[in-house]
Amino acid sequence: MTAQGIGAAVKRREDFRFIKGDGKYTDDINLPNQTYCYFLRSPVAHAAIRNIDISAAQSAPGVVAVFTGADVDASGAGGVPCGWLVTSRDGNPMKEPKHPILAVGKVRHVGDPVVAVIAETLEQARNASELVQMDLDELPAVVNMKSALQGGSSVHEEAADNLCFDWELGDQAATDAALAGAAHVTKLDLVNNRLIPNAMEPRVAIGQYAPGTEDYTLYTTSQNPHVIRLLMGAFVLSIPEHKLRVYAPDVGGGFGSKIYHYAEEALVTWASKHIRRPVKWTSDRSEAFMSDAHGRDHLSHVEMAFDADNRIIALKCETLANMGAYLSTFAPCIPTWLHGTLLAGQYVTPAIYTNVKAVFTNTVPVDAYRGAGRPEATYILERTISKAAQELGVDQAELRRKNFIQPNQFPYQTPVAVVYDTGDYEPALNKAMELADYAAFEQRRAEAKSRGKLRGIGVASYIEACGIAPSSLVGALGARAGLYEAATVRVNPTGSVSVLTGSHSHGQGHETTFAQVVADKLGIDIGNVDIVHGDTDKIPFGMGTYGSRSIAVGGSALVNALDKVIEKGKKIAAHLLEASADDIEFANGAYTVKGTDKSKAFGDIALTAYVPHQYPIETLEPGLEETAFYDPKNFTYPAGTYICEVEIDPQTGSTQIVSFSAADDFGNVINPMIVEGQVHGGVVQGVGQALMENAVYDDNGQLLTGSYMDYTMPRADDVPSFKVATLAGTPCTHNPLGVKGCGEAGAIGAPPAVINAIVDALKEYGIDHIDMPATPEKIWRAINAQPRMAAE
Amino acid sequence: MYNFDYVRPSSVSDAAQALSNNTDASLVAGGHTLIPTLKQRLAQPSALIDISQLAELKGIRSDGGNIVIGAATTHAEVAGSADVKAAIPALAELANGIGDRQVRHRGTIGGSVANNDPSADYPAALLGLGASVVTNRGRYDADSFFTGLFSTALHPGEIITAVHFPIPDKAGYAKFEQRASRYCLVSVFVAQKSGGIFSSGETRVAVSGAGQNGVFRVAEMEQALQGNFSPSGVSGIKVSSANLMNDMHGAADYRAALITAMAERAVGAASA
Amino acid sequence: MPTISLQVNGKTVSGEVQGNTLLTDFLRQNLGLTGTHVGCDTSQCGACVIHVNGDSIKACTMLAAQADNASVTTIEGLSQGDDLHPVQAAFREAHGLQCGFCTPGMIMSAADLLSKNPNPSEAEIRSWLSGNLCRCTGYHNIVKAVQIAAGQMSGQRIAAE
């Protein structure tokens, strides 16, 4: 490890612009002659559109154009596409109703865009929108998943029973048999609460059309500009990809919500051609609450079977997953292939069966949010195993230890399709227990009790699947795209390096970590490396950043491209050093003839490649630039154990997190400082889900938590500082860096750790479960055994 | 926001004149309730008359057994005032718990009192201390000032100039936050003063955040504390949930339980 | 339209604004100071925090007209040329930022804290920063950054004495 290379806690290079206010986010971009778009959205959850009268708005001051769904339809534009096809257990494809850019015929959720008003100023656009007459015939709203499936009102004609798909995985017969013969079965009904991602930067889209060249540019807040280019160009607007540039500059957080292709992006791009002027849309936060895809929203029934020796023998899980009103880009894959496949967790479980029914409702579409399916799976497992420990009268940590897959069992084929390549789970459990001072917990519980407070401790051992995944496999599972990544290493004549990567950085620090990989491999100073991302006109076709895939997939592509550069450099060096290429070694930035002191610096080779005066020109092209596409061989499987300790005030029900300890195995680590930062952030999102965050709809489909006044975001004074340990771990066996990915672990492992701690604190009241979010009122009610009155 | 005229008067009488000339105008000081409301286009004033910088509305002074706080004094100024901290530390603490620090640098006592949000902090202090609200036209006791949800005894065009807080022997405040907004889910202000400067009795208990009609007093707790000013004096008293707010942030029975809990804590803080 | 004149980052600027022009819009649109961000519409997130007359405030909840004659400092004016303010330097040192969107407001808020309370406890830091939402860092390293900056600044004061 060098001071700048792989494994070093290098300070981030991108920080300078952010701490000085010099970041360039999409809303900071203003184009000459730009117009502003305001979306008039549905105020109701479900209605037939009788008529939309835009005439008054069209003649309002400053208005340039007003568009409805009919205008978009008439132009031949397609709907917003879904990128993943899930097949039901009866062999039928999922129901896939059209998702129009602007509503046609019906509105299907509060916030569904209906009219786009474009004017000289945003204020004029908004003023004009108030002159639009929307004549809506309100229909019964479908809000609750269980009643949605019982018929009545339908969100889409194509799915009269509101069922999108009915999917299964695993061996039902074996699982049922094991449950029937079990010594003990733990049963649990779980709510995985609906969350609103809330990246701090609201979404922005600016469409620009150049009549002279017929080129389009979309500036957008995206985690994956090429995915947007592909989806919008090919499926929505029929724009040839070579005529469409998608540029996502600095992006203020994503957490999944900026993966998807959204209607607003398509509309501003489409409209920019109609009016021949740039069209800018900036979401405000209230709008974000009802138009950014939401996350989670599962209801599950779990049964976990144990033999007489407390070994897990089966797991059965039935889940309802809310899709919302339309299928967002990756929505169908979240509760299925990113969820069911993780239900083995860290445990040897011989039989697993899961059934997932996906349901349309008159709510905002639901898609991946940090963790995406894996938090839900982990919550199911880790809540259930702690409840089982309580029922069996054994320690929750030791019950986990007893059931861990052992190091000598890897590669481990789970009963739910995936093969874990490597892992070793006890060191993380031990480290977390040490950090948490687990052994002395009962003394702390007693001390708290003397102050009238209830202390509890909760353990959660998570596994996740990152670096999604072999294209051939995901294709077989329904993905409508490949999931490789691309990198170009462009060595400049003077020896500096530009890396063009399909991975997108919106907080992850790629400009530092990817440069570390280059510095490490080429032996050059990190200051001579530039990481370019986000602009489809600059970078090779790449799939972007989500699912903790950047270093595992994008980093691997980078390594392969670097290897090609090094190999070509060997040939050039061999020529200059008058040796055979086989005799050239590359290390520490220099090419050396083996066993001699004859050597050429990397910079000399670069210069020679571009000034090929002395060059093997007959056998080798000039220049030094290589591209690699990397398609992973498997997922990676980070794992770890988190331990949360809480103190509850029984009088008010409020919970304070007094300590949180995390021990993770991420395989090899490029930059431990950045990795720990990812864990901190993920943990607080997980704590937010467990304690406070909740998207609440009323029976009419109105979003009651539509702003920060009502949707509780974790703040600095809600959480403590954390104890985080990144273990030496078990390097991934199938990618060149041995890395696994770390972006989502915190959000996956934290919720069950927190809830397990709360239930542990409350066990003296005979409480064996509490739903997320465990608000003070919910805890107070559990302690006082008070059912809640219907709220107004 | 709809557009409006911005008016910066040079005195309270100027401001009153501007208001009377323009019935659709609103006063603005810190703007921390009004501006978010305007952003949502829930109000359309023709003009905003900015009284935040009027010197005659600013400042804190001790005055014959009272702390007098100018209406345009910010929450941060109240929280940091040596006079307030010495005379009524519970009031400084209350001000220091409103919103966040940046909100406290702009929000004013006059704005909070005039708005009478049922979940705001200040109404509990005014009612709990038996304060008086002074306007450009007269003076109101807190008991008659807060008349219901977002409504007060103020007449159209009337401008709050100051709030007079009697200095109690002891006072305490306890707040249970609505976690998203950081407003009060339930808060309780208690105060006691011998010599009967308060209009009714020597002990007052005022609750914010919970009442369907805004801030209210709890007579049963006041009587109990009169004889036994200690947390145990109120721990057995439960307010009926019949007239309490019942929403997703807290059902009425939960709010009722919190009133007892916060009353105990407020008394405990005052005793300490 | 009223014309306003104010000091922004040490320079006198003036411009015509509508009554309803927010200070954030004036800074971002009229002056091109896009380091001040807008992350919400209910005065909660703190991405827009700047200093007005020495106090940190939320510029999204102040009218531009209300800033007439005021002295304003934005994130662009916090450092002296290339010399970072100690809070800025500490945010990088402690990895107190990820996506960077909340960072300007967070730094401006923290700088005001340290100007008023040079040696805050962790609880005081967390309480002060409760008006600034960050979705990336979990606040852990932000708190650490403020502690580092406090140490740096007190060292500088000692050195200057």
Side-chain angles (χ1 to χ4, degrees), chain A residues 126-127 130 649 651-652 704 709-710 715 717-718 776-777 781 788 790, chain B residues 2 39 41 178-180 182 246-251 253-254 257 264-265:
Chain A
R126 193 163 174 189
N127 287 345
E130 294 181 355
D649 172 1
Q651 196 181 21
T652 62
L704 298 180
M709 298 296 282
D710 294 305
R715 303 188 190 219
D717 58 355
D718 286 319
E777 180 179 359
R781 213 163 275 292
R788 196 184 204 278
Chain B
Y2 299 107
K39 284 182 189 175
R41 298 193 157 203
Q178 194 265 64
R179 293 284 284 280
R182 302 288 174 113
N246 188 44
D247 58 31
M248 68 174 164
H249 297 297
D253 60 340
Y254 180 54
E264 284 180 36
R265 286 167 202 201

mmCIF file of all heavy atoms in Angstrom, chain A residues 126-127 130 649 651-652 704 709-710 715 717-718 776-777 781 788 790, chain B residues 2 39 41 178-180 182 246-251 253-254 257 264-265:
data_model
loop_
_atom_site.group_PDB
_atom_site.id
_atom_site.type_symbol
_atom_site.label_atom_id
_atom_site.label_comp_id
_atom_site.label_asym_id
_atom_site.label_seq_id
_atom_site.Cartn_x
_atom_site.Cartn_y
_atom_site.Cartn_z
ATOM 1 N N ARG A 126 -46.372 28.912 -13.226
ATOM 2 C CA ARG A 126 -47.217 28.460 -12.118
ATOM 3 C C ARG A 126 -48.520 29.248 -12.077
ATOM 4 O O ARG A 126 -49.591 28.691 -11.819
ATOM 5 C CB ARG A 126 -46.436 28.591 -10.797
ATOM 6 C CG ARG A 126 -47.122 27.850 -9.689
ATOM 7 C CD ARG A 126 -46.243 27.587 -8.505
ATOM 8 N NE ARG A 126 -47.060 26.995 -7.445
ATOM 9 C CZ ARG A 126 -46.646 26.800 -6.214
ATOM 10 N NH1 ARG A 126 -45.426 27.138 -5.864
ATOM 11 N NH2 ARG A 126 -47.450 26.270 -5.303
ATOM 12 N N ASN A 127 -48.424 30.560 -12.338
ATOM 13 C CA ASN A 127 -49.647 31.358 -12.389
ATOM 14 C C ASN A 127 -50.598 30.801 -13.452
ATOM 15 O O ASN A 127 -51.796 30.639 -13.210
ATOM 16 C CB ASN A 127 -49.320 32.818 -12.726
ATOM 17 C CG ASN A 127 -48.678 33.551 -11.558
ATOM 18 O OD1 ASN A 127 -48.722 33.085 -10.416
ATOM 19 N ND2 ASN A 127 -48.069 34.692 -11.842
ATOM 20 N N GLU A 130 -52.717 27.698 -12.788
ATOM 21 C CA GLU A 130 -53.930 27.856 -11.981
ATOM 22 C C GLU A 130 -55.152 28.160 -12.852
ATOM 23 O O GLU A 130 -56.282 28.122 -12.371
ATOM 24 C CB GLU A 130 -53.721 28.950 -10.924
ATOM 25 C CG GLU A 130 -52.656 28.533 -9.908
ATOM 26 C CD GLU A 130 -52.413 29.571 -8.828
ATOM 27 O OE1 GLU A 130 -52.989 30.660 -8.904
ATOM 28 O OE2 GLU A 130 -51.624 29.274 -7.922
ATOM 29 N N ASP A 649 -37.675 5.604 27.312
ATOM 30 C CA ASP A 649 -38.364 6.273 28.409
ATOM 31 C C ASP A 649 -39.787 5.707 28.453
ATOM 32 O O ASP A 649 -40.591 6.002 27.563
ATOM 33 C CB ASP A 649 -38.377 7.779 28.132
ATOM 34 C CG ASP A 649 -39.235 8.551 29.118
ATOM 35 O OD1 ASP A 649 -39.807 7.929 30.041
ATOM 36 O OD2 ASP A 649 -39.344 9.776 28.951
ATOM 37 N N GLN A 651 -42.326 6.327 30.105
ATOM 38 C CA GLN A 651 -43.428 7.268 30.308
ATOM 39 C C GLN A 651 -43.901 7.874 28.990
ATOM 40 O O GLN A 651 -45.090 8.089 28.789
ATOM 41 C CB GLN A 651 -42.984 8.372 31.271
ATOM 42 C CG GLN A 651 -44.149 9.161 31.828
ATOM 43 C CD GLN A 651 -43.696 10.261 32.761
ATOM 44 O OE1 GLN A 651 -42.546 10.696 32.710
ATOM 45 N NE2 GLN A 651 -44.588 10.711 33.624
ATOM 46 N N THR A 652 -42.950 8.168 28.090
ATOM 47 C CA THR A 652 -43.315 8.784 26.812
ATOM 48 C C THR A 652 -43.159 7.830 25.637
ATOM 49 O O THR A 652 -43.669 8.106 24.553
ATOM 50 C CB THR A 652 -42.414 9.991 26.531
ATOM 51 O OG1 THR A 652 -41.050 9.533 26.426
ATOM 52 C CG2 THR A 652 -42.504 11.027 27.628
ATOM 53 N N LEU A 704 -50.179 12.020 3.473
ATOM 54 C CA LEU A 704 -50.237 12.869 4.679
ATOM 55 C C LEU A 704 -48.850 13.367 5.078
ATOM 56 O O LEU A 704 -48.722 14.355 5.785
ATOM 57 C CB LEU A 704 -50.868 12.089 5.835
ATOM 58 C CG LEU A 704 -52.304 11.626 5.620
ATOM 59 C CD1 LEU A 704 -52.817 10.864 6.851
ATOM 60 C CD2 LEU A 704 -53.222 12.797 5.305
ATOM 61 N N MET A 709 -42.363 18.833 7.336
ATOM 62 C CA MET A 709 -43.148 19.128 8.529
ATOM 63 C C MET A 709 -43.787 17.851 9.090
ATOM 64 O O MET A 709 -44.141 17.794 10.263
ATOM 65 C CB MET A 709 -44.247 20.145 8.228
ATOM 66 C CG MET A 709 -43.754 21.506 7.774
ATOM 67 S SD MET A 709 -42.802 22.354 9.049
ATOM 68 C CE MET A 709 -44.138 22.950 10.092
ATOM 69 N N ASP A 710 -43.951 16.862 8.209
ATOM 70 C CA ASP A 710 -44.669 15.651 8.625
ATOM 71 C C ASP A 710 -43.902 14.358 8.391
ATOM 72 O O ASP A 710 -44.212 13.346 8.998
ATOM 73 C CB ASP A 710 -46.018 15.582 7.891
ATOM 74 C CG ASP A 710 -46.947 16.707 8.298
ATOM 75 O OD1 ASP A 710 -47.207 16.852 9.504
ATOM 76 O OD2 ASP A 710 -47.376 17.472 7.424
ATOM 77 N N ARG A 715 -32.081 13.699 12.102
ATOM 78 C CA ARG A 715 -31.243 14.905 12.209
ATOM 79 C C ARG A 715 -30.045 14.606 13.096
ATOM 80 O O ARG A 715 -29.972 13.552 13.735
ATOM 81 C CB ARG A 715 -32.056 16.051 12.799
ATOM 82 C CG ARG A 715 -33.301 16.359 11.982
ATOM 83 C CD ARG A 715 -33.941 17.631 12.503
ATOM 84 N NE ARG A 715 -35.261 17.820 11.903
ATOM 85 C CZ ARG A 715 -35.723 18.998 11.522
ATOM 86 N NH1 ARG A 715 -34.990 20.081 11.664
ATOM 87 N NH2 ARG A 715 -36.918 19.102 11.013
ATOM 88 N N ASP A 717 -29.155 15.516 15.916
ATOM 89 C CA ASP A 717 -29.349 15.240 17.343
ATOM 90 C C ASP A 717 -30.220 14.005 17.590
ATOM 91 O O ASP A 717 -30.589 13.731 18.724
ATOM 92 C CB ASP A 717 -29.926 16.469 18.059
ATOM 93 C CG ASP A 717 -31.241 16.937 17.465
ATOM 94 O OD1 ASP A 717 -31.674 16.372 16.438
ATOM 95 O OD2 ASP A 717 -31.837 17.881 18.015
ATOM 96 N N ASP A 718 -30.544 13.265 16.522
ATOM 97 C CA ASP A 718 -31.308 12.029 16.691
ATOM 98 C C ASP A 718 -30.408 10.807 16.844
ATOM 99 O O ASP A 718 -30.902 9.722 17.162
ATOM 100 C CB ASP A 718 -32.209 11.788 15.464
ATOM 101 C CG ASP A 718 -33.410 12.720 15.426
ATOM 102 O OD1 ASP A 718 -34.005 12.944 16.495
ATOM 103 O OD2 ASP A 718 -33.741 13.217 14.343
ATOM 104 N N PRO A 776 -42.425 6.920 19.348
ATOM 105 C CA PRO A 776 -42.725 6.939 20.781
ATOM 106 C C PRO A 776 -44.157 6.521 21.081
ATOM 107 O O PRO A 776 -44.403 5.764 22.025
ATOM 108 C CB PRO A 776 -42.464 8.398 21.167
ATOM 109 C CG PRO A 776 -41.435 8.866 20.183
ATOM 110 C CD PRO A 776 -41.762 8.150 18.900
ATOM 111 N N GLU A 777 -45.090 6.984 20.258
ATOM 112 C CA GLU A 777 -46.485 6.631 20.542
ATOM 113 C C GLU A 777 -46.701 5.121 20.433
ATOM 114 O O GLU A 777 -47.393 4.515 21.249
ATOM 115 C CB GLU A 777 -47.442 7.361 19.591
ATOM 116 C CG GLU A 777 -48.893 6.974 19.891
ATOM 117 C CD GLU A 777 -49.919 7.676 19.019
ATOM 118 O OE1 GLU A 777 -49.520 8.492 18.179
ATOM 119 O OE2 GLU A 777 -51.115 7.394 19.195
ATOM 120 N N ARG A 781 -47.897 2.860 23.431
ATOM 121 C CA ARG A 781 -49.126 2.101 23.297
ATOM 122 C C ARG A 781 -48.881 0.620 23.616
ATOM 123 O O ARG A 781 -49.707 -0.036 24.255
ATOM 124 C CB ARG A 781 -49.648 2.259 21.867
ATOM 125 C CG ARG A 781 -51.134 2.260 21.728
ATOM 126 C CD ARG A 781 -51.577 2.829 20.387
ATOM 127 N NE ARG A 781 -51.666 4.282 20.410
ATOM 128 C CZ ARG A 781 -52.567 4.980 21.104
ATOM 129 N NH1 ARG A 781 -53.464 4.369 21.857
ATOM 130 N NH2 ARG A 781 -52.570 6.289 21.080
ATOM 131 N N ARG A 788 -54.775 1.853 19.307
ATOM 132 C CA ARG A 788 -54.887 3.241 18.856
ATOM 133 C C ARG A 788 -56.285 3.518 18.339
ATOM 134 O O ARG A 788 -56.861 2.731 17.597
ATOM 135 C CB ARG A 788 -53.885 3.496 17.732
ATOM 136 C CG ARG A 788 -53.647 4.982 17.467
ATOM 137 C CD ARG A 788 -52.720 5.163 16.259
ATOM 138 N NE ARG A 788 -52.004 6.436 16.270
ATOM 139 C CZ ARG A 788 -52.525 7.582 15.854
ATOM 140 N NH1 ARG A 788 -53.754 7.648 15.430
ATOM 141 N NH2 ARG A 788 -51.796 8.695 15.881
ATOM 142 N N ALA A 790 -58.848 5.408 15.889
ATOM 143 C CA ALA A 790 -58.680 5.869 14.512
ATOM 144 C C ALA A 790 -58.327 7.352 14.542
ATOM 145 O O ALA A 790 -59.016 8.149 15.168
ATOM 146 C CB ALA A 790 -59.971 5.652 13.736
ATOM 147 N N TYR B 2 -47.144 34.156 -4.988
ATOM 148 C CA TYR B 2 -47.668 35.247 -5.795
ATOM 149 C C TYR B 2 -46.848 36.484 -5.478
ATOM 150 O O TYR B 2 -46.268 36.608 -4.402
ATOM 151 C CB TYR B 2 -49.131 35.518 -5.436
ATOM 152 C CG TYR B 2 -50.049 34.346 -5.678
ATOM 153 C CD1 TYR B 2 -50.559 33.598 -4.624
ATOM 154 C CD2 TYR B 2 -50.423 34.006 -6.973
ATOM 155 C CE1 TYR B 2 -51.412 32.532 -4.836
ATOM 156 C CE2 TYR B 2 -51.278 32.932 -7.198
ATOM 157 C CZ TYR B 2 -51.777 32.207 -6.134
ATOM 158 O OH TYR B 2 -52.611 31.155 -6.356
ATOM 159 N N LYS B 39 -45.130 30.326 -0.105
ATOM 160 C CA LYS B 39 -44.534 29.453 -1.126
ATOM 161 C C LYS B 39 -45.549 28.434 -1.617
ATOM 162 O O LYS B 39 -45.533 28.044 -2.773
ATOM 163 C CB LYS B 39 -43.331 28.712 -0.545
ATOM 164 C CG LYS B 39 -42.088 29.561 -0.398
ATOM 165 C CD LYS B 39 -40.962 28.686 0.135
ATOM 166 C CE LYS B 39 -39.766 29.532 0.517
ATOM 167 N NZ LYS B 39 -38.713 28.711 1.147
ATOM 168 N N ARG B 41 -48.560 29.001 -1.859
ATOM 169 C CA ARG B 41 -49.651 29.797 -2.446
ATOM 170 C C ARG B 41 -50.951 29.632 -1.651
ATOM 171 O O ARG B 41 -52.043 29.648 -2.220
ATOM 172 C CB ARG B 41 -49.853 29.435 -3.921
ATOM 173 C CG ARG B 41 -48.616 29.749 -4.761
ATOM 174 C CD ARG B 41 -48.892 29.701 -6.249
ATOM 175 N NE ARG B 41 -47.895 30.508 -6.972
ATOM 176 C CZ ARG B 41 -48.087 31.023 -8.172
ATOM 177 N NH1 ARG B 41 -49.216 30.840 -8.808
ATOM 178 N NH2 ARG B 41 -47.148 31.750 -8.743
ATOM 179 N N GLN B 178 -42.858 17.034 18.193
ATOM 180 C CA GLN B 178 -43.252 16.321 16.989
ATOM 181 C C GLN B 178 -41.950 16.217 16.209
ATOM 182 O O GLN B 178 -41.342 17.230 15.881
ATOM 183 C CB GLN B 178 -44.321 17.148 16.257
ATOM 184 C CG GLN B 178 -45.077 16.422 15.178
ATOM 185 C CD GLN B 178 -44.463 16.645 13.800
ATOM 186 O OE1 GLN B 178 -43.332 16.243 13.549
ATOM 187 N NE2 GLN B 178 -45.211 17.276 12.912
ATOM 188 N N ARG B 179 -41.510 14.979 15.938
ATOM 189 C CA ARG B 179 -40.131 14.801 15.511
ATOM 190 C C ARG B 179 -39.843 15.390 14.132
ATOM 191 O O ARG B 179 -38.702 15.738 13.844
ATOM 192 C CB ARG B 179 -39.773 13.311 15.504
ATOM 193 C CG ARG B 179 -39.758 12.694 16.880
ATOM 194 C CD ARG B 179 -38.517 13.067 17.671
ATOM 195 N NE ARG B 179 -37.325 12.355 17.268
ATOM 196 C CZ ARG B 179 -37.006 11.120 17.638
ATOM 197 N NH1 ARG B 179 -37.815 10.450 18.413
ATOM 198 N NH2 ARG B 179 -35.896 10.575 17.237
ATOM 199 N N ALA B 180 -40.824 15.444 13.254
ATOM 200 C CA ALA B 180 -40.548 15.967 11.914
ATOM 201 C C ALA B 180 -40.391 17.479 11.949
ATOM 202 O O ALA B 180 -39.377 18.013 11.527
ATOM 203 C CB ALA B 180 -41.657 15.563 10.955
ATOM 204 N N ARG B 182 -40.491 19.547 14.603
ATOM 205 C CA ARG B 182 -39.900 20.064 15.844
ATOM 206 C C ARG B 182 -40.819 21.068 16.548
ATOM 207 O O ARG B 182 -40.408 21.772 17.453
ATOM 208 C CB ARG B 182 -38.503 20.661 15.621
ATOM 209 C CG ARG B 182 -37.509 19.630 15.023
ATOM 210 C CD ARG B 182 -37.135 18.603 16.056
ATOM 211 N NE ARG B 182 -36.310 17.519 15.556
ATOM 212 C CZ ARG B 182 -35.041 17.293 15.904
ATOM 213 N NH1 ARG B 182 -34.424 18.112 16.718
ATOM 214 N NH2 ARG B 182 -34.391 16.263 15.461
ATOM 215 N N ASN B 246 -56.031 14.864 17.585
ATOM 216 C CA ASN B 246 -55.936 13.438 17.318
ATOM 217 C C ASN B 246 -55.490 13.310 15.864
ATOM 218 O O ASN B 246 -56.291 13.425 14.954
ATOM 219 C CB ASN B 246 -57.321 12.819 17.534
ATOM 220 C CG ASN B 246 -57.304 11.311 17.478
ATOM 221 O OD1 ASN B 246 -56.419 10.687 18.054
ATOM 222 N ND2 ASN B 246 -58.263 10.733 16.780
ATOM 223 N N ASP B 247 -54.194 13.130 15.641
ATOM 224 C CA ASP B 247 -53.716 13.055 14.259
ATOM 225 C C ASP B 247 -52.605 12.020 14.169
ATOM 226 O O ASP B 247 -52.309 11.328 15.143
ATOM 227 C CB ASP B 247 -53.256 14.440 13.762
ATOM 228 C CG ASP B 247 -52.159 15.035 14.632
ATOM 229 O OD1 ASP B 247 -51.359 14.255 15.208
ATOM 230 O OD2 ASP B 247 -52.090 16.276 14.731
ATOM 231 N N MET B 248 -51.998 11.913 12.997
ATOM 232 C CA MET B 248 -51.027 10.832 12.807
ATOM 233 C C MET B 248 -49.794 11.009 13.688
ATOM 234 O O MET B 248 -49.055 10.058 13.915
ATOM 235 C CB MET B 248 -50.613 10.734 11.337
ATOM 236 C CG MET B 248 -49.816 11.911 10.846
ATOM 237 S SD MET B 248 -49.238 11.630 9.162
ATOM 238 C CE MET B 248 -48.787 13.294 8.722
ATOM 239 N N HIS B 249 -49.562 12.207 14.149
ATOM 240 C CA HIS B 249 -48.391 12.412 15.001
ATOM 241 C C HIS B 249 -48.663 12.061 16.453
ATOM 242 O O HIS B 249 -47.734 11.886 17.233
ATOM 243 C CB HIS B 249 -47.902 13.860 14.894
ATOM 244 C CG HIS B 249 -47.456 14.213 13.516
ATOM 245 N ND1 HIS B 249 -46.406 13.593 12.906
ATOM 246 C CD2 HIS B 249 -47.945 15.100 12.611
ATOM 247 C CE1 HIS B 249 -46.244 14.091 11.680
ATOM 248 N NE2 HIS B 249 -47.166 14.992 11.482
ATOM 249 N N GLY B 250 -49.924 11.983 16.821
ATOM 250 C CA GLY B 250 -50.235 11.626 18.191
ATOM 251 C C GLY B 250 -51.733 11.556 18.400
ATOM 252 O O GLY B 250 -52.445 12.535 18.140
ATOM 253 N N ALA B 251 -52.203 10.400 18.830
ATOM 254 C CA ALA B 251 -53.626 10.279 19.124
ATOM 255 C C ALA B 251 -53.933 11.040 20.419
ATOM 256 O O ALA B 251 -53.041 11.351 21.208
ATOM 257 C CB ALA B 251 -54.002 8.806 19.264
ATOM 258 N N ASP B 253 -55.396 10.192 23.211
ATOM 259 C CA ASP B 253 -55.078 9.568 24.499
ATOM 260 C C ASP B 253 -53.576 9.616 24.781
ATOM 261 O O ASP B 253 -53.150 9.756 25.924
ATOM 262 C CB ASP B 253 -55.618 8.129 24.571
ATOM 263 C CG ASP B 253 -55.060 7.209 23.510
ATOM 264 O OD1 ASP B 253 -54.553 7.704 22.475
ATOM 265 O OD2 ASP B 253 -55.141 5.976 23.691
ATOM 266 N N TYR B 254 -52.787 9.519 23.713
ATOM 267 C CA TYR B 254 -51.337 9.629 23.895
ATOM 268 C C TYR B 254 -50.957 11.052 24.300
ATOM 269 O O TYR B 254 -50.160 11.272 25.213
ATOM 270 C CB TYR B 254 -50.624 9.225 22.595
ATOM 271 C CG TYR B 254 -49.118 9.306 22.673
ATOM 272 C CD1 TYR B 254 -48.406 8.650 23.677
ATOM 273 C CD2 TYR B 254 -48.394 10.028 21.723
ATOM 274 C CE1 TYR B 254 -47.022 8.720 23.735
ATOM 275 C CE2 TYR B 254 -47.014 10.096 21.773
ATOM 276 C CZ TYR B 254 -46.327 9.440 22.778
ATOM 277 O OH TYR B 254 -44.966 9.508 22.838
ATOM 278 N N ALA B 257 -51.632 11.509 27.903
ATOM 279 C CA ALA B 257 -50.592 10.934 28.761
ATOM 280 C C ALA B 257 -49.349 11.815 28.772
ATOM 281 O O ALA B 257 -48.678 11.977 29.806
ATOM 282 C CB ALA B 257 -50.247 9.525 28.278
ATOM 283 N N GLU B 264 -45.199 16.878 34.883
ATOM 284 C CA GLU B 264 -44.266 16.414 35.916
ATOM 285 C C GLU B 264 -42.875 16.975 35.674
ATOM 286 O O GLU B 264 -42.191 17.422 36.589
ATOM 287 C CB GLU B 264 -44.165 14.874 35.893
ATOM 288 C CG GLU B 264 -45.321 14.139 36.504
ATOM 289 C CD GLU B 264 -45.098 12.624 36.402
ATOM 290 O OE1 GLU B 264 -43.939 12.173 36.528
ATOM 291 O OE2 GLU B 264 -46.085 11.908 36.170
ATOM 292 N N ARG B 265 -42.450 16.902 34.432
ATOM 293 C CA ARG B 265 -41.078 17.336 34.116
ATOM 294 C C ARG B 265 -40.932 18.848 34.237
ATOM 295 O O ARG B 265 -39.892 19.347 34.687
ATOM 296 C CB ARG B 265 -40.686 16.852 32.722
ATOM 297 C CG ARG B 265 -40.418 15.358 32.754
ATOM 298 C CD ARG B 265 -40.315 14.710 31.417
ATOM 299 N NE ARG B 265 -40.600 13.283 31.591
ATOM 300 C CZ ARG B 265 -40.247 12.329 30.766
ATOM 301 N NH1 ARG B 265 -39.605 12.627 29.666
ATOM 302 N NH2 ARG B 265 -40.538 11.079 31.027
#
